[in-house]
Amino acid sequence: MTIYNLGSINADIFYRVPHLPMAGETLSAVSMERGLGGKGANMSVAAARAAARTVHIGAVGKDGLWAKDRLTEFGVDTRHIHVAGTTGHAIINVDDQGENSIVLLAGANREITRDMVGAALSDASVGDILVMQNETNAQAEAAKMAKDLGLRVAYAAAPFEVAAIEAVLPYLDFLFVNQVEAEQLSIAMGKAVHDLGIEHVIVTLGSKGSIWYNQSLSASKRFASHKVTPVDTTGAGDTFTGYVLAGLDRGMPMEQAIGLATKAAAIMVTRHGTSDVIPDLKDVQDHFGG
Ligand code: RIB
């Protein structure tokens, strides 16, 4: 099976700072690094590193061809990454506790056309997965197209925007939200996230693990996290989502897929960076055994 990812690709520029800057504050960074990122790219790399066939649908500018090359090196199918405009980028401040604040410029990520999505999905088979986040355009069109073709549709609601979720909601099989997003969504919709009519809702709780709500079983299950000392939480959620979907794509039951994803995310928070440092299955095995 295959995971199709309509996803952002960013140049991530990381500043290590003693604390996250306050309004009006000028702050000296300790260091600066650049790398491949974007919630979409991170999920594609995670899914590929978890051994799922992964096709990325997206766009970079001519200044971002290195990002496309890097995704190819990670084993992602990049034939549906187009060249348009200027590559998206993210300014990421990371403090001494590993917390971050991110400023995004979408650039080429919002220049994806319906035809680009259609061309990629024309190769898809029933049961494949389409995953999206809220850093590109064309999500609702892609979700409808995918559903009509018999794909399973997953959405990670970040950056959070109620209208963007409402547009894809009728098509979703999987919704990934963190605790803050779950609360925001629940207030906006006037009901709990597990009452939105979505078969699988996964709420990530950072160091407290995650909860999976399953509509058909009317059940929920809590997953504990692994104790680690975090140095940078950036991209951990994307790693978790990519790993869960890769596990499901490879035929794992949800509990097993979440278990594997929880391990990968735990390793991820002990590393500085995003796509470039996402663990592969061997890293997970070396770290946790099994
Ligand atoms: O989730 C982390 C990602 O958010 C970063 O890679 C950055 O590019 C932004 O998209």
Side-chain angles (χ1 to χ4, degrees):
M1 308 300 292
T2 301
I3 296 175
Y4 290 84
N5 182 358
L6 169 60
S8 56
I9 302 168
N10 290 335
D12 279 354
I13 304 161
F14 286 92
Y15 294 95
R16 295 269 297 279
V17 289
H19 59 263
L20 299 181
M22 292 173 285
E25 181 180 16
T26 301
L27 187 62
S28 291
V30 177
S31 64
M32 192 268 275
E33 276 167 51
R34 291 168 198 268
L36 172 63
K39 295 185 196 308
N42 298 339
M43 286 179 201
S44 278
V45 172
R49 303 214 106 188
R53 177 168 185 265
T54 308
V55 176
H56 196 100
I57 309 166
V60 293
K62 282 193 185 134
D63 58 326
L65 291 174
W66 63 271
K68 183 175 174 181
D69 290 345
R70 186 128 353 137
L71 279 164
T72 308
E73 285 160 21
F74 283 125
V76 176
D77 181 336
T78 58
R79 284 173 296 169
H80 293 283
I81 295 176
H82 297 263
V83 177
T86 307
T87 307
H89 75 263
I91 306 290
I92 305 175
N93 293 315
V94 181
D95 72 11
D96 288 344
Q97 281 68 49
E99 291 299 335
N100 65 39
S101 72
I102 302 178
V103 176
L104 287 174
L105 186 72
N109 293 312
R110 301 253 185 224
E111 304 217 13
I112 298 163
T113 64
R114 195 178 184 285
D115 285 351
M116 292 177 189
V117 178
L121 294 185
S122 66
D123 294 335
S125 305
V126 171
D128 285 347
I129 294 173
L130 171 73
V131 59
M132 301 172 295
Q133 324 74 38
N134 189 25
E135 289 185 351
T136 68
N137 63 325
Q139 297 149 16
E141 295 96 321
K144 179 170 185 333
M145 241 184 266
K147 206 70 205 161
D148 289 346
L149 290 165
L151 277 71
R152 295 172 285 170
V153 180
Y155 184 70
F160 184 81
E161 206 186 326
V162 176
I165 302 178
E166 280 179 319
V168 297
L169 196 60
Y171 310 107
L172 295 187
D173 299 284
F174 306 95
L175 175 66
F176 292 84
V177 280
N178 65 26
Q179 198 168 11
V180 174
E181 292 155 358
E183 280 162 15
Q184 289 174 313
L185 184 56
S186 159
I187 290 166
M189 305 300 284
K191 48 174 99 161
V193 286
H194 51 274
D195 287 332
L196 292 174
I198 303 167
E199 179 64 7
H200 303 279
V201 176
I202 296 163
V203 181
T204 55
L205 308 169
S207 62
K208 297 194 178 68
S210 59
I211 306 178
W212 164 46
Y213 298 96
N214 180 240
Q215 181 175 252
S216 301
L217 300 175
S218 296
S220 65
K221 185 160 182 182
R222 182 94 190 227
F223 296 82
S225 65
H226 297 278
K227 285 221 177 320
V228 287
T229 304
V231 301
D232 182 358
T233 56
T234 319
D238 308 332
T239 301
F240 178 87
T241 302
Y243 259 80
V244 169
L245 295 176
L248 297 174
D249 180 71
R250 293 170 49 217
M252 291 180 190
M254 182 63 94
E255 287 93 334
Q256 194 184 347
I258 292 180
L260 181 64
T262 304
K263 290 175 180 172
I267 296 173
M268 186 63 185
V269 301
T270 66
R271 298 176 172 183
H272 282 286
T274 39
S275 286
D276 300 304
V277 297
I278 290 173
D280 62 14
L281 288 173
K282 183 167 184 313
D283 292 330
V284 174
Q285 193 174 28
D286 288 349
H287 197 94
F288 291 100

